[in-house]
Amino acid sequence: MKQIIELHGKGESIRAITRLLDVSRNTVRRYLREPGIPKPKPRAKRGSKLDPYKDYIQKRLSEGVDNCVVLLREIRELGYTGGYSILKEYVHPFRRWRRKPEVTVRFETKPGEQAQVDFGRYRYLTPDGTPRPDGTPRYVWAFVLVLAWARAMYVEFIQRADVAGFIRCHINGFARLGGIPRKCLYDNAKLVVLDRDEAGQPIWNKRFLDFALRLGFDC
């Protein structure tokens, strides 16, 4: 603190500085002993849900498999409960340096076999940048359906994150893309999987599971 250093330079005692600035003696002593701005201690790095599966991912990368949709399916079968984005971020640098002109063998899904579904909330502003009348921010939910083979994409924005709207987005997406994939992968969406039991098996949202069974796709 600059004032502590200046007062001490003028000959003021620690007791006088304490009284003038209304701070503790320990604070004054600390600044006089180590003048400058205190630096925060670095926080311990938090572990990632992906950490236990990185050895397996590296093994699959060495075999030429770098399709994140495929990797997500495989590690989820091993018990992974995290999202797609963190996997994609981890794999991306390995995909860049592994690109070579030589022919490599890669695993690809077949047409109509698989789709990736993401569902998340996004904050937005009106043209004049104002929040709602009550001062709360504005949000919208985005549904994104991507076909694994063709990379064709369907996006829809809705106001409520309920099962009815989620199902309606699927129907609209399937109609727009011209069919229903054999399997849809989800980024741990609560509208699909409510929780997992002690054995790690999914506890399905019954209403959504009934919808998937009626249309004939796995999830």
Side-chain angles (χ1 to χ4, degrees):
M1 186 183 293
K2 183 179 179 181
Q3 292 173 300
I4 294 177
I5 306 300
E6 290 177 346
L7 290 171
H8 185 260
K10 293 177 181 179
E12 297 288 352
S13 66
I14 292 178
R15 177 181 295 179
I17 296 172
T18 299
R19 185 178 65 257
L20 289 170
L21 300 181
D22 193 23
V23 295
S24 69
R25 294 187 182 184
N26 288 336
T27 299
V28 175
R29 292 192 182 98
R30 185 172 70 252
Y31 275 96
L32 293 177
R33 184 170 58 248
E34 300 177 0
I37 300 175
K39 297 180 179 179
K41 296 181 180 179
R43 294 183 179 180
K45 189 175 181 181
R46 295 173 60 184
S48 165
K49 290 183 178 180
L50 195 64
D51 287 345
Y53 308 95
K54 287 182 178 179
D55 288 344
Y56 177 83
I57 294 170
Q58 288 295 333
K59 174 178 176 294
R60 296 295 280 144
L61 289 172
S62 68
E63 296 171 350
V65 181
D66 57 7
N67 186 312
C68 289
V69 173
V70 174
L71 292 172
L72 180 66
R73 179 191 63 200
E74 293 181 357
I75 61 177
R76 277 189 171 164
E77 290 176 353
L78 297 175
Y80 175 65
T81 59
Y84 174 80
S85 298
I86 189 173
L87 171 64
K88 184 177 179 180
E89 182 179 351
Y90 175 73
V91 171
H92 179 69
F94 297 104
R95 297 179 71 178
R96 283 197 305 178
W97 68 258
R98 288 182 63 254
R99 296 296 181 220
K100 296 181 180 179
E102 62 190 49
V103 177
T104 57
V105 178
R106 294 185 57 188
F107 174 82
E108 295 287 353
T109 58
K110 298 177 181 179
E113 181 179 356
Q114 195 174 92
Q116 170 75 32
V117 176
D118 290 302
F119 190 62
R121 189 177 73 162
Y122 296 88
R123 184 174 180 173
Y124 72 95
L125 298 174
T126 58
D128 59 359
T130 60
R132 294 179 181 274
D134 61 0
T136 58
R138 301 173 186 268
Y139 291 97
V140 67
W141 290 85
F143 172 90
V144 181
L145 172 66
V146 182
L147 298 181
W149 181 81
R151 308 310 297 169
M153 179 185 296
Y154 173 80
V155 180
E156 182 174 343
F157 296 98
I158 58 176
Q159 293 296 325
R160 297 181 58 186
D162 54 18
V163 179
F166 192 57
I167 289 175
R168 185 170 59 253
C169 287
H170 280 77
I171 294 173
N172 294 340
F174 295 153
R176 181 68 177 178
L177 297 176
I180 301 173
R182 186 182 64 83
K183 186 171 185 177
C184 288
L185 301 178
Y186 297 89
D187 191 10
N188 212 29
K190 291 295 184 181
L191 294 172
V192 179
V193 178
L194 300 176
D195 204 347
R196 292 184 178 272
D197 60 22
E198 295 180 355
Q201 296 302 309
I203 300 175
W204 301 100
N205 182 312
K206 293 183 179 179
R207 187 175 176 186
F208 183 81
L209 180 61
D210 178 70
F211 166 72
L213 292 173
R214 287 176 183 273
L215 267 69
F217 67 89
D218 295 331
C219 52

